[in-house]
Amino acid sequence: MKLYISVLFTILFINSSYSQVNSEISLTTSQSQVLISKKGETFQLTDEDGKIVISDIDSLYQKKKSDLIFIKKKGLWGVVSNYGKIMIPINFNKTERIYNEFWAVTKNQKKGVFSIAKGEILPVEFDNIEFSQSYNQEFIVKKDNKKGVFNYLGKEIIPIDYDEIKKKNGVLVLSKNNKTNYFLNNKIISDSLVLDKSFEIYGDYISDKKTFYVFYKNKKQGIIDSENNVLIQAKYDNIEYKRLIENPKKENFLIVKEGNLYGMIDLSEKEIIPIKYQNIEIITADFAVLTINNLKHFYNFRTKKLNTNFDFEKFDMYSRQFTRIKKGDKETLVLNDDFSNLLFPFMYEDVSQNDNLFVVKLNSKYGLVDKNNKVIIPILYEQLYISCNKVIAQLNNKYGILSLENKIVMPFDYPNIVGYSEKIEVTQKDFKTKTYDCDLLCIENCN
């Protein structure tokens, strides 16, 4: 019985025998899709006129939506097209696809590469083959414990002379005799690349993407692109790429270090921030913190101005609205919209926000102020926080509750009071706990 091979039909006949037998195969190519017929225990491919294209086939299969037929004959594998054209000779112990048109073939534990379009790319003589796209499309080969690289046309581009070749960040890293070189833009370079510092910048289209690398030379750092062009000579002690604004085309700013001082430049070495600061910390798309004379200042990228109205020693992004800044043993908050105005002078030991009110600490005592620094609750309590729109505080080691108008609504007689979002638990003098709602009505253990 004859069956048409098509992309909608998969035929799978796999024999477990893998004996290695060399054979010469006489084939003709059909002008139409070949047919399969079974003859005894074997199969054959014939054209539409019944002329045999391949005979004595042990097993064969075709994957769905594929124009290729995998054939095993006398224990060896090969690949033919739907029209009977030999794409990979039926002469290998194993065939496996590497990438697109490229297939690895194995015989007697040696490997080679075939292209469905071009035929043999690499002869079957290598111990291992690894596909790479670090440069273009290439093959990292291993032979006699040494490695080299061939391009997709089978031309040697790196001699088989290296102890190790690895792919990293779009570059081939070459190691030999404890020395490292790099293959970049079809050239082997000896300058050290800091591959973990590589970065990409996009143009109007994804295809416009360019990769840049930090490189070392004479203990200094510079910048080269993926085409091995030196954009910035190796003259800085350190270079770090930083993203500043949302438009990727403009994200080409570099923090550079000379000696112990930092500045900022772009890829054309245009100065953004002079190299005179002890540290540069990017905090938002528009602002940085610069350190000079051991004190920190906010810097505005939009206005290109340093705020010298105040300075500080430490900071943390406290919330979406405020940043906490500290100087000595005092701290305050600054609004995150422009980092230009202090909420309060540097007068409190601690400041924490609760909606539009602020719990402050002064001389180890706590109180409550508003955004204008007007005192709402006097600064005289050992502990204080807001819960259920009430102020829970500790005075003389006893807890009580105040209203936001500074009225005592529960006397300072209790060993402990714990507030939650919808209830308050009050430890009684007998150490039993009563639970109140936010209106201070008892709801549990009321007797």
Side-chain angles (χ1 to χ4, degrees):
M1 179 179 66
K2 297 181 179 181
L3 301 173
Y4 280 98
I5 299 178
S6 71
V7 296
L8 301 175
F9 188 76
T10 301
I11 303 176
L12 176 59
F13 298 104
I14 298 180
N15 192 302
S16 62
S17 172
Y18 279 87
S19 60
Q20 300 175 4
V21 180
N22 291 323
S23 62
E24 293 185 0
I25 303 169
S26 177
L27 300 170
T28 60
T29 301
S30 171
Q31 298 301 313
S32 59
Q33 289 192 349
V34 292
L35 311 173
I36 289 179
S37 61
K38 187 171 184 180
K39 186 177 181 181
E41 297 299 320
T42 62
F43 302 87
Q44 61 186 15
L45 301 183
T46 60
D47 62 20
E48 60 182 0
D49 298 323
K51 186 176 181 180
I52 295 175
V53 178
I54 303 177
S55 62
D56 302 320
I57 299 170
D58 300 329
S59 61
L60 73 168
Y61 70 92
Q62 183 181 34
K63 295 180 179 179
K64 289 182 178 181
K65 298 183 180 180
S66 173
D67 295 328
L68 303 177
I69 308 169
F70 297 82
I71 289 179
K72 183 182 179 184
K73 180 171 180 174
K74 296 183 179 180
L76 299 176
W77 287 91
V79 180
V80 301
S81 72
N82 273 351
Y83 296 89
K85 180 180 179 180
I86 295 290
M87 313 304 291
I88 299 176
I90 309 171
N91 197 34
F92 301 103
N93 304 120
K94 185 179 181 181
T95 62
E96 56 183 335
R97 189 177 186 182
I98 301 176
Y99 180 79
N100 283 351
E101 64 179 281
F102 299 108
W103 293 73
V105 295
T106 304
K107 189 170 184 182
N108 300 329
Q109 297 184 338
K110 297 293 183 181
K111 295 180 181 294
V113 174
F114 271 79
S115 162
I116 294 299
K118 304 179 184 70
E120 185 182 80
I121 302 297
L122 297 178
V124 185
E125 60 182 42
F126 301 101
D127 301 314
N128 191 52
I129 297 174
E130 181 184 358
F131 182 73
S132 166
Q133 288 182 296
S134 296
Y135 168 56
N136 188 347
Q137 291 179 344
E138 58 272 348
F139 304 96
I140 302 173
V141 302
K142 184 177 182 180
K143 185 177 182 180
D144 299 328
N145 290 321
K146 294 292 182 179
K147 289 188 175 183
V149 178
F150 289 78
N151 69 11
Y152 67 99
L153 297 175
K155 179 182 177 181
E156 183 183 78
I157 55 176
I158 298 177
I160 306 175
D161 193 34
Y162 289 89
D163 301 322
E164 185 61 80
I165 298 179
K166 292 183 177 180
K167 301 175 289 184
K168 186 173 181 180
N169 292 19
V171 174
L172 293 177
V173 183
L174 318 177
S175 302
K176 181 171 65 174
N177 299 328
N178 296 320
K179 293 184 178 180
T180 301
N181 292 328
Y182 303 87
F183 188 74
L184 186 64
N185 194 33
N186 207 25
K187 293 180 181 178
I188 296 175
I189 60 175
S190 57
D191 295 333
S192 295
L193 299 184
V194 190
L195 295 179
D196 291 335
K197 289 187 176 183
S198 64
F199 57 94
E200 296 174 339
I201 294 177
Y202 293 85
D204 293 327
Y205 303 97
I206 294 178
S207 59
D208 295 335
K209 179 186 74 174
K210 294 194 69 174
T211 304
F212 300 87
Y213 301 92
V214 176
F215 74 96
Y216 270 105
K217 190 172 186 179
N218 299 324
K219 297 183 179 181
K220 298 292 184 178
Q221 295 185 17
I223 298 289
I224 60 174
D225 63 17
S226 55
E227 296 176 356
N228 209 12
N229 298 313
V230 176
L231 278 70
I232 297 176
Q233 296 292 334
K235 60 184 180 181
Y236 297 103
D237 295 304
N238 191 56
I239 297 177
E240 295 285 346
Y241 172 71
K242 295 293 184 181
R243 297 181 183 273
L244 295 182
I245 56 180
E246 295 181 358
N247 187 344
K249 291 191 296 185
K250 297 180 181 179
E251 291 179 344
N252 56 344
F253 294 94
L254 307 167
I255 294 178
V256 295
K257 181 181 180 184
E258 285 185 351
N260 292 320
L261 299 178
Y262 294 86
M264 183 174 286
I265 61 175
D266 63 16
L267 280 173
S268 64
E269 285 197 271
K270 178 183 176 182
E271 182 181 271
I272 308 301
I273 296 175
I275 304 173
K276 66 177 186 179
Y277 295 96
Q278 294 166 281
N279 197 21
I280 296 177
E281 301 167 85
I282 309 298
I283 56 173
T284 72
D286 296 313
F287 290 90
V289 173
L290 310 186
T291 304
I292 188 169
N293 298 325
N294 297 319
L295 293 173
K296 299 179 184 295
H297 300 263
F298 290 109
Y299 177 84
N300 189 326
F301 286 111
R302 291 174 295 180
T303 63
K304 299 181 180 180
K305 290 183 178 180
L306 188 71
N307 187 342
T308 57
N309 294 330
F310 58 88
D311 50 49
F312 50 98
E313 296 167 352
K314 297 179 181 179
F315 75 97
D316 66 86
M317 305 294 284
Y318 173 73
S319 67
R320 290 185 179 182
Q321 188 177 6
F322 293 104
T323 291
R324 188 199 316 268
I325 59 176
K326 297 184 179 183
K327 189 174 182 179
D329 62 351
K330 305 299 182 183
E331 68 178 50
T332 186
L333 301 178
V334 60
L335 286 167
N336 291 343
D337 57 353
D338 60 6
F339 297 94
S340 63
N341 297 308
L342 299 179
L343 187 63
F344 315 123
F346 283 100
M347 60 182 294
Y348 297 117
E349 296 149 20
D350 186 78
V351 180
S352 59
Q353 180 187 10
N354 193 298
D355 293 327
N356 292 319
L357 298 176
F358 300 87
V359 177
V360 296
K361 180 181 179 183
L362 180 62
N363 298 324
S364 300
K365 300 295 184 180
Y366 291 89
L368 193 66
V369 300
D370 65 13
K371 64 180 180 179
N372 297 313
N373 207 19
K374 178 183 177 182
V375 175
I376 306 299
I377 303 293
I379 305 171
L380 53 84
Y381 296 95
E382 294 138 26
Q383 291 189 49
L384 185 146
Y385 64 97
I386 297 175
S387 176
C388 266
N389 209 35
K390 304 286 190 298
V391 179
I392 298 174
Q394 183 187 38
L395 182 65
N396 299 323
N397 293 320
K398 297 292 183 180
Y399 284 86
I401 301 178
L402 304 165
S403 70
L404 292 176
E405 291 75 31
N406 195 30
K407 302 294 184 181
I408 296 177
V409 294
M410 186 172 286
F412 285 83
D413 290 335
Y414 300 96
N416 194 26
I417 297 178
V418 179
Y420 299 92
S421 60
E422 296 180 355
K423 65 179 182 179
I424 297 174
E425 293 180 349
V426 180
T427 302
Q428 306 296 306
K429 295 178 182 179
D430 60 1
F431 294 99
K432 294 181 179 180
T433 299
K434 287 186 178 182
T435 303
Y436 296 82
D437 63 16
C438 289
D439 294 323
L440 296 184
L441 298 174
C442 184
I443 56 176
E444 290 182 19
N445 303 320
C446 299
N447 296 326

